[in-house]
Amino acid sequence: MNLKQLVNDKPLWDNFVEYLDDAISKNHTALEQSDNHVVIHRLQGAIGALRRLKYLREEMNGSDG
């Protein structure tokens, strides 16, 4: 699938963002329960990457955000 199709199909995009929010929530839960510094850093990176994906629509459509 073309990225432009994903970001310009509102129902599909909304479902994708819902998926991202759910994944962020699960990573937050794991982060709160972890006591391993390596795992904590990895989860923080994963959360950051998922949050950046939420801005994919603006990047693809050339918005200055």
Side-chain angles (χ1 to χ4, degrees):
M1 174 182 273
N2 185 323
L3 282 179
K4 277 283 196 184
Q5 290 173 327
L6 169 65
V7 300
N8 291 321
D9 182 340
K10 178 137 176 63
L12 184 59
W13 177 254
D14 290 343
N15 286 334
F16 181 64
V17 170
E18 185 177 331
Y19 168 80
L20 292 174
D21 288 337
D22 184 54
I24 289 169
S25 177
K26 288 178 182 175
N27 278 297
H28 269 254
T29 301
L31 182 61
E32 291 169 355
Q33 296 173 353
S34 180
D35 60 357
N36 182 317
H37 293 291
V38 173
V39 172
I40 289 171
H41 286 245
R42 286 181 182 165
L43 290 166
Q44 288 173 332
I47 291 168
L50 291 165
R51 285 186 176 155
R52 282 190 300 276
L53 283 173
K54 291 175 76 172
Y55 294 104
L56 180 64
R57 184 179 207 174
E58 286 81 11
E59 288 182 29
M60 292 298 296
N61 289 328
S63 296
D64 292 329

Short mmCIF file of all heavy atoms in Angstrom, two decimals:
data_model
loop_
_atom_site.label_atom_id
_atom_site.label_comp_id
_atom_site.label_asym_id
_atom_site.label_seq_id
_atom_site.Cartn_x
_atom_site.Cartn_y
_atom_site.Cartn_z
N MET A 1 0.84 -1.19 0.00
CA MET A 1 0.00 0.00 0.00
C MET A 1 0.89 1.25 0.00
O MET A 1 1.90 1.32 0.67
CB MET A 1 -0.92 0.00 1.22
CG MET A 1 -1.71 1.28 1.35
SD MET A 1 -2.75 1.38 2.79
CE MET A 1 -4.19 0.59 2.16
N ASN A 2 0.47 2.20 -0.73
CA ASN A 2 1.14 3.48 -0.83
C ASN A 2 0.89 4.30 0.44
O ASN A 2 -0.22 4.33 0.95
CB ASN A 2 0.59 4.18 -2.07
CG ASN A 2 1.28 5.47 -2.37
OD1 ASN A 2 1.66 6.21 -1.47
ND2 ASN A 2 1.41 5.76 -3.64
N LEU A 3 1.92 4.97 0.95
CA LEU A 3 1.75 5.79 2.16
C LEU A 3 0.74 6.91 1.95
O LEU A 3 -0.01 7.24 2.87
CB LEU A 3 3.09 6.37 2.60
CG LEU A 3 4.03 5.44 3.32
CD1 LEU A 3 5.33 6.15 3.66
CD2 LEU A 3 3.39 4.89 4.57
N LYS A 4 0.73 7.51 0.77
CA LYS A 4 -0.24 8.58 0.49
C LYS A 4 -1.66 8.07 0.66
O LYS A 4 -2.53 8.78 1.15
CB LYS A 4 -0.05 9.14 -0.92
CG LYS A 4 1.02 10.17 -1.03
CD LYS A 4 0.54 11.49 -0.50
CE LYS A 4 1.46 12.59 -0.95
NZ LYS A 4 1.10 13.87 -0.39
N GLN A 5 -1.92 6.83 0.23
CA GLN A 5 -3.26 6.26 0.38
C GLN A 5 -3.61 6.13 1.86
O GLN A 5 -4.74 6.41 2.25
CB GLN A 5 -3.34 4.89 -0.29
CG GLN A 5 -3.29 4.95 -1.79
CD GLN A 5 -3.20 3.57 -2.41
OE1 GLN A 5 -2.59 2.67 -1.85
NE2 GLN A 5 -3.80 3.42 -3.58
N LEU A 6 -2.66 5.70 2.67
CA LEU A 6 -2.90 5.54 4.11
C LEU A 6 -3.24 6.88 4.75
O LEU A 6 -4.23 6.99 5.46
CB LEU A 6 -1.68 4.93 4.81
CG LEU A 6 -1.70 4.94 6.34
CD1 LEU A 6 -2.81 4.06 6.88
CD2 LEU A 6 -0.35 4.51 6.89
N VAL A 7 -2.43 7.88 4.50
CA VAL A 7 -2.62 9.15 5.20
C VAL A 7 -3.81 9.94 4.68
O VAL A 7 -4.34 10.80 5.39
CB VAL A 7 -1.34 10.03 5.18
CG1 VAL A 7 -0.19 9.30 5.85
CG2 VAL A 7 -0.96 10.47 3.78
N ASN A 8 -4.25 9.67 3.46
CA ASN A 8 -5.37 10.42 2.90
C ASN A 8 -6.71 9.71 3.02
O ASN A 8 -7.74 10.28 2.69
CB ASN A 8 -5.09 10.78 1.44
CG ASN A 8 -3.98 11.81 1.34
OD1 ASN A 8 -3.90 12.73 2.15
ND2 ASN A 8 -3.12 11.65 0.36
N ASP A 9 -6.72 8.48 3.50
CA ASP A 9 -7.96 7.75 3.74
C ASP A 9 -8.30 7.92 5.21
O ASP A 9 -7.75 7.24 6.08
CB ASP A 9 -7.76 6.27 3.39
CG ASP A 9 -9.01 5.44 3.56
OD1 ASP A 9 -9.93 5.86 4.28
OD2 ASP A 9 -9.05 4.35 2.96
N LYS A 10 -9.22 8.87 5.52
CA LYS A 10 -9.49 9.24 6.91
C LYS A 10 -9.87 8.06 7.79
O LYS A 10 -9.30 7.90 8.89
CB LYS A 10 -10.55 10.33 6.99
CG LYS A 10 -10.89 10.72 8.42
CD LYS A 10 -11.02 12.18 8.61
CE LYS A 10 -11.46 12.55 10.01
NZ LYS A 10 -10.55 12.19 11.06
N PRO A 11 -10.81 7.20 7.40
CA PRO A 11 -11.15 6.07 8.28
C PRO A 11 -9.95 5.13 8.52
O PRO A 11 -9.73 4.68 9.65
CB PRO A 11 -12.26 5.33 7.54
CG PRO A 11 -12.85 6.35 6.61
CD PRO A 11 -11.71 7.26 6.25
N LEU A 12 -9.18 4.88 7.49
CA LEU A 12 -8.00 4.03 7.62
C LEU A 12 -6.97 4.69 8.52
O LEU A 12 -6.38 4.06 9.41
CB LEU A 12 -7.41 3.72 6.25
CG LEU A 12 -6.24 2.76 6.19
CD1 LEU A 12 -6.61 1.41 6.78
CD2 LEU A 12 -5.76 2.60 4.76
N TRP A 13 -6.74 5.99 8.32
CA TRP A 13 -5.79 6.73 9.13
C TRP A 13 -6.23 6.74 10.60
O TRP A 13 -5.42 6.54 11.49
CB TRP A 13 -5.62 8.16 8.62
CG TRP A 13 -4.70 8.94 9.49
CD1 TRP A 13 -5.01 9.92 10.39
CD2 TRP A 13 -3.28 8.79 9.58
NE1 TRP A 13 -3.90 10.37 11.03
CE2 TRP A 13 -2.81 9.70 10.54
CE3 TRP A 13 -2.36 7.97 8.93
CZ2 TRP A 13 -1.47 9.80 10.87
CZ3 TRP A 13 -1.02 8.09 9.27
CH2 TRP A 13 -0.59 8.99 10.22
N ASP A 14 -7.51 6.97 10.84
CA ASP A 14 -8.01 6.98 12.21
C ASP A 14 -7.80 5.63 12.90
O ASP A 14 -7.44 5.58 14.07
CB ASP A 14 -9.49 7.37 12.24
CG ASP A 14 -9.72 8.84 11.89
OD1 ASP A 14 -8.75 9.63 11.94
OD2 ASP A 14 -10.87 9.18 11.56
N ASN A 15 -8.00 4.55 12.17
CA ASN A 15 -7.75 3.21 12.71
C ASN A 15 -6.26 3.01 13.01
O ASN A 15 -5.90 2.40 14.02
CB ASN A 15 -8.25 2.12 11.77
CG ASN A 15 -9.74 2.00 11.77
OD1 ASN A 15 -10.40 2.34 12.74
ND2 ASN A 15 -10.28 1.50 10.67
N PHE A 16 -5.42 3.51 12.13
CA PHE A 16 -3.97 3.41 12.33
C PHE A 16 -3.54 4.18 13.58
O PHE A 16 -2.76 3.68 14.39
CB PHE A 16 -3.24 3.94 11.09
CG PHE A 16 -1.74 3.86 11.17
CD1 PHE A 16 -1.09 2.64 11.25
CD2 PHE A 16 -0.98 5.02 11.14
CE1 PHE A 16 0.30 2.58 11.33
CE2 PHE A 16 0.40 4.97 11.21
CZ PHE A 16 1.04 3.74 11.30
N VAL A 17 -4.07 5.39 13.75
CA VAL A 17 -3.73 6.19 14.93
C VAL A 17 -4.25 5.51 16.20
O VAL A 17 -3.57 5.52 17.23
CB VAL A 17 -4.28 7.64 14.79
CG1 VAL A 17 -4.15 8.40 16.10
CG2 VAL A 17 -3.55 8.38 13.68
N GLU A 18 -5.42 4.91 16.12
CA GLU A 18 -5.95 4.17 17.27
C GLU A 18 -5.01 3.01 17.63
O GLU A 18 -4.74 2.75 18.81
CB GLU A 18 -7.34 3.64 16.95
CG GLU A 18 -8.03 2.96 18.10
CD GLU A 18 -9.43 2.52 17.75
OE1 GLU A 18 -10.08 3.14 16.90
OE2 GLU A 18 -9.88 1.51 18.34
N TYR A 19 -4.50 2.32 16.61
CA TYR A 19 -3.54 1.25 16.84
C TYR A 19 -2.26 1.79 17.50
O TYR A 19 -1.74 1.20 18.44
CB TYR A 19 -3.20 0.56 15.51
CG TYR A 19 -2.01 -0.36 15.60
CD1 TYR A 19 -2.15 -1.64 16.13
CD2 TYR A 19 -0.76 0.06 15.19
CE1 TYR A 19 -1.05 -2.48 16.24
CE2 TYR A 19 0.34 -0.77 15.30
CZ TYR A 19 0.19 -2.04 15.83
OH TYR A 19 1.29 -2.86 15.93
N LEU A 20 -1.78 2.93 17.01
CA LEU A 20 -0.58 3.54 17.58
C LEU A 20 -0.81 3.92 19.04
O LEU A 20 0.05 3.66 19.90
CB LEU A 20 -0.16 4.78 16.78
CG LEU A 20 0.35 4.54 15.37
CD1 LEU A 20 0.59 5.88 14.66
CD2 LEU A 20 1.59 3.69 15.36
N ASP A 21 -1.96 4.50 19.33
CA ASP A 21 -2.28 4.88 20.70
C ASP A 21 -2.32 3.66 21.62
O ASP A 21 -1.84 3.71 22.76
CB ASP A 21 -3.61 5.63 20.77
CG ASP A 21 -3.53 7.04 20.20
OD1 ASP A 21 -2.42 7.61 20.15
OD2 ASP A 21 -4.59 7.57 19.80
N ASP A 22 -2.87 2.56 21.13
CA ASP A 22 -2.94 1.33 21.91
C ASP A 22 -1.52 0.80 22.16
O ASP A 22 -1.19 0.38 23.28
CB ASP A 22 -3.79 0.29 21.19
CG ASP A 22 -3.97 -0.97 22.01
OD1 ASP A 22 -4.41 -0.87 23.17
OD2 ASP A 22 -3.67 -2.05 21.47
N ALA A 23 -0.68 0.82 21.14
CA ALA A 23 0.70 0.35 21.29
C ALA A 23 1.47 1.23 22.26
O ALA A 23 2.25 0.73 23.08
CB ALA A 23 1.39 0.31 19.93
N ILE A 24 1.26 2.54 22.20
CA ILE A 24 1.91 3.46 23.13
C ILE A 24 1.47 3.15 24.56
O ILE A 24 2.29 3.10 25.48
CB ILE A 24 1.61 4.93 22.76
CG1 ILE A 24 2.35 5.31 21.47
CG2 ILE A 24 2.00 5.88 23.90
CD1 ILE A 24 1.91 6.64 20.87
N SER A 25 0.18 2.91 24.74
CA SER A 25 -0.35 2.60 26.06
C SER A 25 0.27 1.31 26.62
O SER A 25 0.65 1.25 27.80
CB SER A 25 -1.87 2.47 25.98
OG SER A 25 -2.41 2.09 27.22
N LYS A 26 0.39 0.30 25.78
CA LYS A 26 0.99 -0.97 26.22
C LYS A 26 2.46 -0.78 26.59
O LYS A 26 2.94 -1.35 27.57
CB LYS A 26 0.85 -2.03 25.13
CG LYS A 26 -0.57 -2.53 24.98
CD LYS A 26 -0.69 -3.53 23.85
CE LYS A 26 -2.14 -3.97 23.70
NZ LYS A 26 -2.34 -4.85 22.56
N ASN A 27 3.16 0.04 25.82
CA ASN A 27 4.57 0.30 26.13
C ASN A 27 4.70 1.10 27.42
O ASN A 27 5.64 0.89 28.19
CB ASN A 27 5.25 1.03 24.97
CG ASN A 27 5.68 0.08 23.88
OD1 ASN A 27 6.52 -0.78 24.10
ND2 ASN A 27 5.11 0.22 22.71
N HIS A 28 3.77 2.02 27.66
CA HIS A 28 3.79 2.78 28.91
C HIS A 28 3.61 1.85 30.10
O HIS A 28 4.31 1.99 31.12
CB HIS A 28 2.67 3.84 28.92
CG HIS A 28 3.08 5.15 28.38
ND1 HIS A 28 3.31 6.25 29.17
CD2 HIS A 28 3.32 5.55 27.12
CE1 HIS A 28 3.67 7.26 28.41
NE2 HIS A 28 3.68 6.87 27.16
N THR A 29 2.69 0.91 29.98
CA THR A 29 2.46 -0.05 31.06
C THR A 29 3.73 -0.87 31.32
O THR A 29 4.13 -1.05 32.48
CB THR A 29 1.29 -0.99 30.70
OG1 THR A 29 0.12 -0.19 30.51
CG2 THR A 29 1.03 -2.00 31.80
N ALA A 30 4.35 -1.34 30.25
CA ALA A 30 5.58 -2.11 30.41
C ALA A 30 6.69 -1.25 31.01
O ALA A 30 7.47 -1.71 31.85
CB ALA A 30 6.02 -2.67 29.06
N LEU A 31 6.74 0.02 30.62
CA LEU A 31 7.74 0.95 31.14
C LEU A 31 7.57 1.14 32.64
O LEU A 31 8.53 1.14 33.40
CB LEU A 31 7.62 2.28 30.41
CG LEU A 31 8.59 3.40 30.74
CD1 LEU A 31 10.02 2.97 30.43
CD2 LEU A 31 8.23 4.65 29.96
N GLU A 32 6.33 1.29 33.07
CA GLU A 32 6.05 1.49 34.49
C GLU A 32 6.43 0.27 35.32
O GLU A 32 6.78 0.40 36.49
CB GLU A 32 4.56 1.81 34.69
CG GLU A 32 4.15 3.15 34.15
CD GLU A 32 2.65 3.35 34.11
OE1 GLU A 32 1.90 2.39 34.42
OE2 GLU A 32 2.21 4.47 33.78
N GLN A 33 6.37 -0.91 34.73
CA GLN A 33 6.62 -2.14 35.47
C GLN A 33 8.05 -2.63 35.38
O GLN A 33 8.44 -3.54 36.10
CB GLN A 33 5.67 -3.24 34.97
CG GLN A 33 4.22 -2.92 35.22
CD GLN A 33 3.28 -3.91 34.58
OE1 GLN A 33 3.69 -4.79 33.83
NE2 GLN A 33 1.99 -3.77 34.87
N SER A 34 8.84 -2.00 34.54
CA SER A 34 10.22 -2.47 34.32
C SER A 34 11.18 -1.90 35.35
O SER A 34 11.06 -0.76 35.78
CB SER A 34 10.68 -2.08 32.92
OG SER A 34 11.99 -2.55 32.72
N ASP A 35 12.15 -2.72 35.73
CA ASP A 35 13.22 -2.25 36.60
C ASP A 35 14.59 -2.45 35.95
O ASP A 35 15.63 -2.24 36.57
CB ASP A 35 13.16 -2.96 37.95
CG ASP A 35 13.31 -4.47 37.84
OD1 ASP A 35 13.39 -4.98 36.72
OD2 ASP A 35 13.34 -5.12 38.90
N ASN A 36 14.57 -2.82 34.67
CA ASN A 36 15.80 -3.05 33.91
C ASN A 36 16.08 -1.81 33.06
O ASN A 36 15.26 -1.41 32.24
CB ASN A 36 15.62 -4.29 33.03
CG ASN A 36 16.86 -4.62 32.23
OD1 ASN A 36 17.51 -3.74 31.68
ND2 ASN A 36 17.17 -5.90 32.16
N HIS A 37 17.23 -1.19 33.27
CA HIS A 37 17.55 0.06 32.59
C HIS A 37 17.60 -0.09 31.07
O HIS A 37 17.19 0.82 30.34
CB HIS A 37 18.87 0.65 33.11
CG HIS A 37 18.78 1.11 34.52
ND1 HIS A 37 18.05 2.20 34.90
CD2 HIS A 37 19.33 0.61 35.66
CE1 HIS A 37 18.13 2.37 36.20
NE2 HIS A 37 18.91 1.41 36.70
N VAL A 38 18.09 -1.20 30.60
CA VAL A 38 18.16 -1.42 29.15
C VAL A 38 16.74 -1.49 28.57
O VAL A 38 16.44 -0.87 27.55
CB VAL A 38 18.95 -2.71 28.82
CG1 VAL A 38 18.88 -3.03 27.34
CG2 VAL A 38 20.40 -2.57 29.27
N VAL A 39 15.87 -2.22 29.23
CA VAL A 39 14.48 -2.34 28.77
C VAL A 39 13.79 -0.98 28.83
O VAL A 39 13.04 -0.61 27.91
CB VAL A 39 13.72 -3.40 29.61
CG1 VAL A 39 12.24 -3.40 29.26
CG2 VAL A 39 14.32 -4.78 29.39
N ILE A 40 14.04 -0.23 29.87
CA ILE A 40 13.44 1.11 30.01
C ILE A 40 13.84 1.99 28.83
O ILE A 40 13.00 2.65 28.21
CB ILE A 40 13.85 1.76 31.35
CG1 ILE A 40 13.13 1.04 32.50
CG2 ILE A 40 13.54 3.25 31.36
CD1 ILE A 40 13.61 1.43 33.89
N HIS A 41 15.10 1.98 28.46
CA HIS A 41 15.58 2.80 27.34
C HIS A 41 14.96 2.33 26.02
O HIS A 41 14.59 3.15 25.18
CB HIS A 41 17.11 2.78 27.26
CG HIS A 41 17.74 3.60 28.34
ND1 HIS A 41 18.47 4.73 28.09
CD2 HIS A 41 17.73 3.45 29.69
CE1 HIS A 41 18.89 5.25 29.24
NE2 HIS A 41 18.46 4.48 30.22
N ARG A 42 14.84 1.03 25.84
CA ARG A 42 14.22 0.51 24.62
C ARG A 42 12.76 0.90 24.53
O ARG A 42 12.27 1.27 23.47
CB ARG A 42 14.37 -1.01 24.56
CG ARG A 42 15.76 -1.45 24.25
CD ARG A 42 15.88 -2.94 24.17
NE ARG A 42 17.26 -3.32 23.90
CZ ARG A 42 17.74 -4.52 24.05
NH1 ARG A 42 16.96 -5.51 24.47
NH2 ARG A 42 19.01 -4.77 23.78
N LEU A 43 12.05 0.80 25.64
CA LEU A 43 10.63 1.18 25.65
C LEU A 43 10.46 2.67 25.40
O LEU A 43 9.54 3.08 24.67
CB LEU A 43 9.98 0.78 26.98
CG LEU A 43 9.80 -0.72 27.19
CD1 LEU A 43 9.46 -1.02 28.65
CD2 LEU A 43 8.73 -1.27 26.26
N GLN A 44 11.33 3.48 25.95
CA GLN A 44 11.27 4.92 25.70
C GLN A 44 11.49 5.20 24.21
O GLN A 44 10.79 6.04 23.63
CB GLN A 44 12.32 5.67 26.52
CG GLN A 44 11.99 5.73 27.99
CD GLN A 44 13.11 6.33 28.82
OE1 GLN A 44 14.30 6.25 28.47
NE2 GLN A 44 12.74 6.93 29.94
N GLY A 45 12.42 4.49 23.61
CA GLY A 45 12.66 4.66 22.17
C GLY A 45 11.47 4.21 21.34
O GLY A 45 11.10 4.86 20.36
N ALA A 46 10.85 3.11 21.74
CA ALA A 46 9.68 2.60 21.01
C ALA A 46 8.53 3.59 21.10
O ALA A 46 7.85 3.87 20.10
CB ALA A 46 9.26 1.25 21.57
N ILE A 47 8.32 4.15 22.28
CA ILE A 47 7.25 5.13 22.46
C ILE A 47 7.52 6.36 21.60
O ILE A 47 6.62 6.88 20.93
CB ILE A 47 7.09 5.51 23.95
CG1 ILE A 47 6.53 4.31 24.73
CG2 ILE A 47 6.19 6.73 24.12
CD1 ILE A 47 6.60 4.46 26.24
N GLY A 48 8.77 6.80 21.56
CA GLY A 48 9.12 7.95 20.73
C GLY A 48 8.87 7.68 19.25
O GLY A 48 8.34 8.53 18.53
N ALA A 49 9.22 6.49 18.80
CA ALA A 49 9.02 6.13 17.40
C ALA A 49 7.53 6.07 17.06
O ALA A 49 7.10 6.54 16.00
CB ALA A 49 9.69 4.79 17.09
N LEU A 50 6.74 5.49 17.96
CA LEU A 50 5.29 5.41 17.72
C LEU A 50 4.68 6.80 17.68
O LEU A 50 3.80 7.07 16.85
CB LEU A 50 4.63 4.56 18.81
CG LEU A 50 4.96 3.07 18.76
CD1 LEU A 50 4.55 2.40 20.07
CD2 LEU A 50 4.29 2.40 17.57
N ARG A 51 5.13 7.68 18.54
CA ARG A 51 4.60 9.06 18.54
C ARG A 51 4.97 9.78 17.24
O ARG A 51 4.17 10.55 16.71
CB ARG A 51 5.13 9.83 19.74
CG ARG A 51 4.46 9.43 21.02
CD ARG A 51 4.90 10.30 22.15
NE ARG A 51 4.17 9.96 23.36
CZ ARG A 51 4.61 10.19 24.58
NH1 ARG A 51 5.77 10.78 24.76
NH2 ARG A 51 3.88 9.85 25.62
N ARG A 52 6.18 9.54 16.75
CA ARG A 52 6.58 10.17 15.49
C ARG A 52 5.72 9.69 14.33
O ARG A 52 5.43 10.44 13.40
CB ARG A 52 8.06 9.92 15.21
CG ARG A 52 8.97 10.81 16.04
CD ARG A 52 10.42 10.74 15.60
NE ARG A 52 10.99 9.41 15.70
CZ ARG A 52 11.50 8.87 16.80
NH1 ARG A 52 11.52 9.56 17.92
NH2 ARG A 52 12.01 7.66 16.79
N LEU A 53 5.31 8.43 14.37
CA LEU A 53 4.43 7.90 13.31
C LEU A 53 3.10 8.64 13.26
O LEU A 53 2.47 8.73 12.21
CB LEU A 53 4.19 6.41 13.50
CG LEU A 53 5.34 5.50 13.07
CD1 LEU A 53 5.04 4.06 13.48
CD2 LEU A 53 5.55 5.59 11.57
N LYS A 54 2.66 9.17 14.40
CA LYS A 54 1.39 9.90 14.42
C LYS A 54 1.48 11.20 13.61
O LYS A 54 0.48 11.76 13.22
CB LYS A 54 0.97 10.20 15.86
CG LYS A 54 0.57 8.92 16.61
CD LYS A 54 0.26 9.17 18.05
CE LYS A 54 -1.08 9.82 18.20
NZ LYS A 54 -1.50 9.90 19.62
N TYR A 55 2.71 11.66 13.34
CA TYR A 55 2.90 12.88 12.54
C TYR A 55 3.19 12.58 11.07
O TYR A 55 3.46 13.49 10.29
CB TYR A 55 4.04 13.72 13.13
CG TYR A 55 3.70 14.27 14.48
CD1 TYR A 55 4.23 13.71 15.63
CD2 TYR A 55 2.81 15.33 14.62
CE1 TYR A 55 3.90 14.19 16.88
CE2 TYR A 55 2.46 15.82 15.87
CZ TYR A 55 3.01 15.25 16.99
OH TYR A 55 2.68 15.73 18.23
N LEU A 56 3.09 11.31 10.69
CA LEU A 56 3.37 10.90 9.32
C LEU A 56 2.45 11.61 8.33
O LEU A 56 2.87 12.04 7.26
CB LEU A 56 3.22 9.39 9.19
CG LEU A 56 3.46 8.78 7.81
CD1 LEU A 56 4.91 9.01 7.40
CD2 LEU A 56 3.14 7.30 7.83
N ARG A 57 1.20 11.78 8.70
CA ARG A 57 0.22 12.43 7.81
C ARG A 57 0.66 13.85 7.46
O ARG A 57 0.63 14.25 6.30
CB ARG A 57 -1.14 12.44 8.49
CG ARG A 57 -2.24 12.99 7.64
CD ARG A 57 -3.56 12.94 8.39
NE ARG A 57 -4.65 12.85 7.46
CZ ARG A 57 -5.90 12.69 7.80
NH1 ARG A 57 -6.22 12.53 9.06
NH2 ARG A 57 -6.84 12.64 6.88
N GLU A 58 1.08 14.60 8.47
CA GLU A 58 1.53 15.97 8.22
C GLU A 58 2.78 15.99 7.35
O GLU A 58 2.91 16.83 6.46
CB GLU A 58 1.79 16.69 9.55
CG GLU A 58 0.53 17.06 10.31
CD GLU A 58 -0.07 15.92 11.11
OE1 GLU A 58 0.59 14.86 11.25
OE2 GLU A 58 -1.22 16.07 11.56
N GLU A 59 3.70 15.07 7.61
CA GLU A 59 4.92 15.00 6.80
C GLU A 59 4.62 14.66 5.36
O GLU A 59 5.18 15.26 4.44
CB GLU A 59 5.88 13.97 7.38
CG GLU A 59 6.53 14.39 8.67
CD GLU A 59 7.52 13.37 9.18
OE1 GLU A 59 8.12 12.65 8.36
OE2 GLU A 59 7.70 13.29 10.40
N MET A 60 3.75 13.69 5.13
CA MET A 60 3.43 13.26 3.77
C MET A 60 2.68 14.33 3.00
O MET A 60 2.82 14.46 1.79
CB MET A 60 2.61 11.97 3.80
CG MET A 60 3.37 10.75 4.28
SD MET A 60 4.78 10.31 3.25
CE MET A 60 3.98 9.91 1.72
N ASN A 61 1.85 15.10 3.69
CA ASN A 61 1.05 16.12 3.03
C ASN A 61 1.72 17.49 3.04
O ASN A 61 1.15 18.46 2.58
CB ASN A 61 -0.34 16.20 3.65
CG ASN A 61 -1.18 14.98 3.30
OD1 ASN A 61 -1.04 14.41 2.23
ND2 ASN A 61 -2.02 14.56 4.23
N GLY A 62 2.94 17.55 3.56
CA GLY A 62 3.72 18.77 3.48
C GLY A 62 3.30 19.87 4.42
O GLY A 62 3.63 21.03 4.21
N SER A 63 2.58 19.53 5.49
CA SER A 63 2.18 20.55 6.46
C SER A 63 3.38 20.93 7.31
O SER A 63 4.27 20.15 7.56
CB SER A 63 1.07 20.02 7.37
OG SER A 63 -0.09 19.75 6.64
N ASP A 64 3.35 22.18 7.77
CA ASP A 64 4.41 22.65 8.65
C ASP A 64 4.12 22.32 10.10
O ASP A 64 4.94 22.52 10.96
CB ASP A 64 4.61 24.16 8.50
CG ASP A 64 5.19 24.50 7.13
OD1 ASP A 64 5.94 23.68 6.60
OD2 ASP A 64 4.88 25.58 6.62
N GLY A 65 2.91 21.78 10.38
CA GLY A 65 2.54 21.27 11.67
C GLY A 65 2.43 22.27 12.73
O GLY A 65 2.37 22.15 13.86
#
